[in-house]
Every structure is written in C-alpha cells, then in structure tokens.
C-alpha cells in the first residue's frame, strides 16, 4: 500500500462509452500525475497537476480529460476512446515541485483499461 | 526534452550473483535520478534515488552510481534473490520527481 489508491482496477469500455478513472492520495502531497503504461512506451507522462492547477499536458488527445478538484483527488475522464488507448493508467503523487523540495513519486496500482 | 536510455532490456542472473542496469540521460539540467521496481500487477515503487551532488549511494544490497560528466547512472544489486525478479525503471528529472522521464525498463529474472 503506497498511499495512492486508484479505482477501478480494471475497466472494459466500448469506443462510444464515457467513463472516469479515479485517484486518491492520502500522503498530503501537493502534486499529482497521470501516466500511461503500454508495451509501446513503458511509462509516459500525460498530465501534471500542482496545487490543483494543470501545469503540464504532454500532447495528450482531447478524448482524455483530467480533473483535479482538490489536492487529494485526481480524475481522468475518458470518452470516444480508440483500441490503441488500451493500457495501464497510473496515478502518482509527490511533494514539492522544484529545487531541493523533490521527493519521490508514489504510484498507485493502476487501472487496466481495455477499449473494445 | 530529456531522453533516457536504459540497458539491457532483459537480464537473467543466477541467485546470489550481481545484476547491473545502466542508464544514460541527455539533459544536463537533470539533478534527480530515481530507480523504481515494478512487480506484476503493481505500480512502480521507488527502491533508491540519487541526487546530482552525490556520486554513489548504497542501501543494503542495492547501490546506485552517478557520473554527471558522462551523463550516466547505474543500479547495482548484489546477492540477488528470486524476489528481486521484476521490471526496473530508471528515471531522470530536472526538478520534479513526478515529472521524471523514464527509461524503457529492464526485466530482471533471478533463477533459483
């Protein structure tokens, strides 16, 4: 248990569905992240939120829409996905955003997404 | 942006032997280098990290070395055990641990 909880653990959705992934961290961190993990690219940063503001969007298609309502929760809203979006989606959190305030990133167990 | 290369992609060792995984990075501004272990069905977990003002760090059977001039860093696992079998990722970050750029991973298998 890392203090970062992701739900659901597994999700199968059709290309016309809308679903959301949820991430919750109990570590008091001020930054949260979404990563995509697939056979093609093992760990790919998608979004960064710092103090609930999105500070980075790594050219992610608009069919992925993140939301960070507070520093403990992060969502990834999914709509009209493609089969190639099937992957493990990992949430992470850390404390500090620069200088000597770097702390390790804690990852959740991920949501295994299959788009059919 | 940062580019991290990791070698080898797979590594098989006999229990008790040492394992070495090497990474190179491109951005001289990177100053934080974590190593993560990912077991099947779990997210990556930090096993050791090193900052740019340190050349070597050790934690029991695990050690990491950093050569900033050459822009490479390595993970050393001694006296390997079957439970060390997992995928290992190196990463480099200029400032924010969560914004690390990851290597492609090394699948380590320790044979009993």
């Amino acid at each position: 248990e890392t203090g970062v909880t992701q739900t659901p653990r597994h999700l199968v959705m059709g290309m016309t569905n809308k679903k959301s992934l949820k991430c919750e961290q109990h570590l008091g961190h001020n930054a949260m992240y979404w990563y995509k993990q697939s056979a093609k690219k093992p760990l790919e940063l998608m979004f960064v939120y710092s103090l609930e503001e999105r500070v980075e969007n790594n050219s992610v298609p608009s069919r992925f829409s993140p939301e960070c309502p507070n520093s403990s929760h992060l969502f990834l809203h999914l709509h009209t996905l493609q089969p190639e979006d099937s992957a493990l989606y990992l949430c992470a959190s850390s404390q500090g955003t620069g200088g000597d305030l770097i702390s390790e990133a804690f990852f959740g167990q991920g949501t295994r997404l299959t788009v059919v | 942006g940062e580019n991290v290369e990791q070698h080898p992609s797979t590594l098989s060792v006999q229990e008790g032997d040492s394992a070495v995984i090497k990474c190179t990075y491109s951005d001289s501004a990177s100053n934080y280098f974590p190593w993560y272990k990912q077991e099947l069905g779990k997210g990556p977990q930090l096993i050791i990290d090193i900052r740019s003002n340190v050349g070597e760090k050790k934690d029991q059977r695990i050690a990491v070395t950093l050569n900033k001039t050459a822009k490479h860093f390595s993970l050393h696992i001694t006296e390997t055990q079957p439970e060390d079998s997992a995928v290992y990722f190196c990463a480099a970050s200029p400032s924010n641990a969560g914004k690390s750029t990851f290597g492609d991973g090394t699948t380590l298998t320790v044979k009993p």
Side-chain angles (χ1 to χ4, degrees), chain A residues 4-9 11 19-26 32-34 67 69-70 72-78 89-92 108-111:
Chain A
V4 179
T5 305
Q6 288 187 246
T7 54
R9 292 293 309 278
L11 178 62
K19 296 285 184 184
S20 296
L21 310 185
K22 181 182 175 182
C23 177
E24 186 173 357
Q25 58 101 355
H26 314 278
M32 296 185 76
Y33 318 83
W34 281 115
E67 179 190 0
N70 55 62
S72 299
H73 294 87
L74 185 65
F75 294 90
L76 188 62
H77 304 299
L78 316 170
Y89 288 86
L90 289 160
C91 172
Q109 293 192 317
T111 295

Side-chain angles (χ1 to χ4, degrees), chain A residues 1-2 9 31 33 35 37 41-43 45 48 56 88 90 94 96-99 102-105 107-109, chain B residues 3 31-32 36 38 41-46 49 51 89 93-105:
Chain A
E1 183 58 55
T2 65
R9 292 293 309 278
Y33 318 83
Y35 278 86
Q37 187 172 45
K41 186 70 181 176
L43 272 165
L45 182 64
V48 179
E56 191 157 326
L88 181 69
L90 289 160
S94 71
T97 55
I102 298 170
S103 71
E104 67 177 282
F107 284 84
Q109 293 192 317
Chain B
N3 181 48
N31 57 15
Y32 177 66
Y36 289 86
Q38 187 174 22
K42 296 185 179 181
Q45 287 201 308
L46 183 83
D49 57 12
R51 301 179 191 275
F89 292 96
S93 171
S95 60
N96 184 321
K99 289 177 63 176
S100 295
T101 300
F102 284 80
D104 287 348

Side-chain angles (χ1 to χ4, degrees), chain A residues 57-116:
Chain A
N57 174 347
N58 278 354
S59 304
V60 179
S62 59
R63 56 186 185 269
F64 295 91
S65 174
E67 179 190 0
C68 187
N70 55 62
S71 59
S72 299
H73 294 87
L74 185 65
F75 294 90
L76 188 62
H77 304 299
L78 316 170
H79 64 97
T80 59
L81 293 192
Q82 306 298 311
E84 57 264 30
D85 296 322
S86 298
L88 181 69
Y89 288 86
L90 289 160
C91 172
S93 72
S94 71
Q95 181 62 25
T97 55
D100 292 332
L101 294 178
I102 298 170
S103 71
E104 67 177 282
F106 289 80
F107 284 84
Q109 293 192 317
T111 295
R112 174 68 62 186
L113 174 67
T114 304
V115 182
V116 298

